[in-house]
Amino acid sequence: MRWLYFLSVWLHVLAAAIWVGGMIFVALVVVPVIRRPELQGAAARLIHFTGVRFRWVGWACFVLLLLTGLVNTLARGIAWGDLLVAQFWAGPFGKLFALKLVVFALILASSAVHDFVIGPRAVAVWQERPGSTEATRLRRQATHLGRLNLFLALLVLALGVMLVRGAP
Ligand code: HEM
């Protein structure tokens, strides 16, 4: 069981690193690069192809985080039955865990809207009518959702570290 716990935490941290690292790469590298004047003609297509590719990487990470998160929980000796008892959620670990699951649910919701609704619509209008107010509005909405996701990612990371070491 010890090696399974070790493998699960390792995969959990790896999935977190790929997802959070990927979002930071997009924000700090891809977005500034596509703003260069010499790339204006290709910017929308670059964001489209990068976005579609990272979408699948991101959702694969979410599935891995959920599965390894459950294994981590069970490996800590928390049984399914404990999750149905109010006393568990009233304790310090239970409170952090509940908060982490709420933030994870928010991440799934905002990622779904960004990845499958606003993002694709913004890129489609951006390609059809690059200078239109609708393209600008949708791109701004996609950017705001992306930034919200990055903020939630940093929050859930902190909650993960607190789960292991206790709240500061
Ligand atoms: C975006 C989603 C998530 C991220 C970024 C994330 C990140 C992390 C990180 C960084 C740690 C600390 C690892 C360490 O310091 O050793 C951790 C621990 C943990 N996470 Fe997550 N996590 C996520 C989702 C989840 C979910 C959905 C669950 C439960 C279903 C979960 C359950 C746990 C547990 C139980 C631990 C403690 C592991 C241990 O015993 O060492 N996590 N998480």
Side-chain angles (χ1 to χ4, degrees):
M1 187 61 181
R2 182 101 195 118
W3 67 266
L4 177 64
Y5 178 34
F6 171 82
L7 182 66
S8 176
V9 174
W10 182 77
L11 285 172
H12 198 73
V13 173
L14 180 65
I18 293 170
W19 177 59
V20 179
M23 278 198 294
I24 293 174
F25 180 79
V26 170
L28 296 184
V29 179
V30 178
V31 171
V33 165
I34 59 146
R35 290 206 175 115
R36 297 182 66 89
E38 64 267 39
L39 283 178
Q40 280 323 296
R45 271 176 300 130
L46 188 66
I47 281 288
H48 169 66
F49 292 122
T50 310
V52 168
R53 180 88 186 161
F54 187 57
R55 179 169 67 184
W56 295 118
V57 172
W59 284 88
C61 288
F62 292 154
V63 171
L64 193 54
L65 282 157
L66 184 59
L67 293 177
T68 55
L70 292 173
V71 172
N72 294 351
T73 309
L74 296 173
R76 278 180 159 266
I78 300 161
W80 293 115
D82 298 334
L83 302 177
L84 304 173
V85 179
Q87 210 182 342
F88 168 78
W89 300 104
F93 183 91
K95 282 188 183 132
L96 282 172
F97 193 47
L99 196 52
K100 188 175 183 191
L101 292 179
V102 168
V103 175
F104 185 58
L106 287 175
I107 287 170
L108 293 181
S110 67
S111 300
V113 175
H114 178 276
D115 295 355
F116 298 102
V117 186
I118 299 291
R121 202 183 296 163
V123 169
V125 177
W126 185 10
Q127 286 179 310
E128 282 158 30
R129 303 184 295 279
S132 68
T133 47
E134 195 192 1
T136 312
R137 181 177 58 79
L138 286 166
R139 286 178 62 189
R140 195 176 303 125
Q141 284 178 357
T143 304
H144 288 160
L145 271 173
R147 289 181 185 154
L148 169 67
N149 245 359
L150 188 52
F151 168 73
L152 293 173
L154 298 176
L155 184 58
V156 81
L157 263 184
L159 289 166
V161 173
M162 286 188 222
L163 272 183
V164 177
R165 294 161 188 78

